[in-house]
Amino acid sequence: MSGKIEARLAELGVTLPDAPAPAANYVPYVQTGNLVHVSGQISMDEGGALITGKLGAELSAEAGAAAARRCALSLLAQLRAACGGDLDRLTRVVKLTGFVNSTADFTEQPKVVNGASDFLVEALGDAGRHARSAVSAASLPLGVAVEIEGIFEIA
């Protein structure tokens, strides 16, 4: 580990996973200018097993927030890959869009996506503050609970 961001993650007891490979015909990130657009990252646990289920049925908002936090770790892993291994090139998180696999009457999508937002602010400070959308989805790929995509500014 090297750099301020990696040191902060270590203080938090966080180890980033390897950047997940795309599951279909797309790239994991695209850089244009100083912006990196990271494709949607699905909820996976520390061992790489999918975190599946529907919020409002099988999963609570708290379990969904934990799944969203795992998505944020994958976002940072992809960003690290986009930055050639140097996360300190990150200047700010610009925007997250969170998709929550939820029942028609579940209304706590923002609370679920807070799992990612809160983690990014905890890990990155003010650079982790971002614009955001939290959207309900009738289903998500492979039955995952949460998928989050992000836009990041780098130096």
Side-chain angles (χ1 to χ4, degrees), residues 66-105:
R69 183 179 192 276
R70 295 296 309 172
C71 292
L73 293 174
S74 292
L75 286 168
L76 288 181
Q78 292 292 2
L79 185 64
R80 180 176 59 190
C83 291
D86 183 7
L87 267 179
D88 284 347
R89 290 182 57 200
L90 173 66
T91 57
R92 79 167 299 132
V93 180
V94 177
K95 175 145 194 234
L96 297 182
T97 303
F99 303 93
V100 180
N101 184 356
S102 52
T103 61
D105 61 346

Side-chain angles (χ1 to χ4, degrees), residues 55-149:
L55 280 291
E58 300 93 6
L59 297 174
S60 67
E62 293 74 23
R69 183 179 192 276
R70 295 296 309 172
C71 292
L73 293 174
S74 292
L75 286 168
L76 288 181
Q78 292 292 2
L79 185 64
R80 180 176 59 190
C83 291
D86 183 7
L87 267 179
D88 284 347
R89 290 182 57 200
L90 173 66
T91 57
R92 79 167 299 132
V93 180
V94 177
K95 175 145 194 234
L96 297 182
T97 303
F99 303 93
V100 180
N101 184 356
S102 52
T103 61
D105 61 346
F106 184 80
T107 60
E108 294 184 297
Q109 291 82 4
K111 185 175 180 181
V112 170
V113 180
N114 277 348
S117 295
D118 292 348
F119 169 73
L120 290 171
V121 171
E122 181 182 17
L124 305 171
D126 282 341
R129 297 191 185 285
H130 51 272
R132 186 185 88 182
S133 298
V135 180
S136 180
S139 70
L140 288 173
L142 307 172
V144 296
V146 181
E147 179 175 352
I148 302 177
E149 64 183 26

